[in-house]
Amino acid sequence: MRTTQLAGIVAALALAGMEAEAAAWDTCNGLPVKWYAGPAVYRNRCSIPDSGNVNTAYWNGLRQWDDLSRIVSAFNVNPVTDCSLDHSDGQNEIGLCDRAAIDGNNGVTYSTVGLCFIGSNGIDEADVCIASDLDFTPRTGNAFGTSGRSTFVHEAGHFFGFKHEGGHSILRTSPPHLVTGGYESSTLWPTNAQGMNTLYGYAQSKPNLLPSSMGVVGDVAQTLDPAGTRAVCRGSAQSVKFYVGNMGNAAVSSYTLRVRLSPTAPPTGYYESSTTVATYNHSLGAFAEGTYSLGFTVPAGLPFNTYYIYLDMDPEGAVDELRENDNSTVSAMLLRVGC
């Protein structure tokens, strides 16, 4: 991965080079192993209640994928008298499991595939188990580490037939998971979305802009700027690194990137007014991504305080997107303005 250094209040960005990755899936008789008929999904009510963080993590995990192609035929709920996740009952069940029951993993997906040699290569049944001891609260963009929410998204990818891959992907083989923009930051990345488009097609043609303060160097996931507080003075030139991507199947010919400073932590800082320190004009192709070093100057009149650094993509809301709640993120690095 390379970064492109840019400085100034208004600038145009050029896409930085990144390591190419691709979605992956099994094939049989030259055809992909996938759902050839829309699956019905059964939520295990014994372990995933009708409300609360686990429930919203479940819905987020499925919706991140299914909202793109709309292939799930029904979202059902098992009765409380049916607490087992039976891998051969014809139901596609999703629930929580004891970590010891899944060999210490964060999650696992059990898939049953038709017999390849007679040409029946579709997924017949898939059941998902998520370790019950994970944290299922939403992340806010600068929390580094694998959570129950990101594991739900990861295993839902396996449910739809996708294999592990490297680079910027929720299907990375090596934790921790990378998180992206907004209060619900457990989401897909462009290569994941491109795989969904290839296997199942998109339900609608739209872009979806996506920022992150995290990236991959080699195969190591990390925050692009180190976590911690940097002491700076008013009027000094600074820079911050961010990833930006488009997980939609349509290009964006022009949009705005905005860097701002706020003394308010996320998620509240996503919505409160703050100080804009740099604005850039940019474009992104379908499923494109890049990493940038964005320059700015600390304003001369900025009050002494500690500031979070936010990045907003399309803050004016001019781009019609698949989702509008994932366009902002926050750096792991803070600035302490004291001189």
Side-chain angles (χ1 to χ4, degrees), residues 261-270 272-273 306-308 310 330:
L261 304 180
S262 172
T264 306
T268 307
Y270 285 133
E272 289 188 346
S273 60
T306 298
Y307 291 89
Y308 292 86
Y310 290 92
V330 60

Side-chain angles (χ1 to χ4, degrees), residues 2 9 22 26 50 64 146 151 191 224 237 241 245 257 270:
R2 300 191 301 273
I9 299 302
D26 287 322
D50 295 336
Q64 291 291 340
T146 293
T151 302
T191 59
L224 294 170
K241 293 179 182 177
L257 276 170
Y270 285 133

Side-chain angles (χ1 to χ4, degrees), residues 87-110:
H87 308 318
S88 59
D89 62 356
Q91 291 186 338
N92 306 303
E93 298 166 288
I94 300 179
L96 303 189
C97 303
D98 187 276
R99 183 181 292 273
I102 52 176
D103 297 327
N105 293 314
N106 289 323
V108 66
T109 298
Y110 303 95

Side-chain angles (χ1 to χ4, degrees), residues 200-220:
Y200 300 105
Y202 266 34
Q204 53 185 330
S205 182
K206 286 186 178 183
N208 197 75
L209 301 174
L210 196 72
S212 180
S213 63
M214 301 178 189
V216 179
V217 177
D219 196 39
V220 179

Side-chain angles (χ1 to χ4, degrees), residues 59-146:
W59 280 109
N60 178 67
L62 277 177
R63 288 298 193 188
Q64 291 291 340
W65 297 87
D66 189 61
D67 279 353
L68 300 179
S69 301
R70 304 289 173 84
I71 66 168
V72 173
S73 62
F75 296 93
N76 300 323
V77 183
N78 280 342
V80 293
T81 54
D82 182 9
C83 292
S84 64
L85 292 175
D86 189 334
H87 308 318
S88 59
D89 62 356
Q91 291 186 338
N92 306 303
E93 298 166 288
I94 300 179
L96 303 189
C97 303
D98 187 276
R99 183 181 292 273
I102 52 176
D103 297 327
N105 293 314
N106 289 323
V108 66
T109 298
Y110 303 95
S111 295
T112 303
V113 179
L115 297 176
C116 182
F117 68 88
I118 61 173
S120 177
N121 65 326
I123 300 173
D124 294 331
E125 180 181 346
D127 301 295
V128 176
C129 292
I130 306 293
S132 59
D133 58 355
L134 289 167
D135 173 22
F136 295 95
T137 57
R139 299 298 180 100
T140 55
N142 61 353
F144 196 49
T146 293

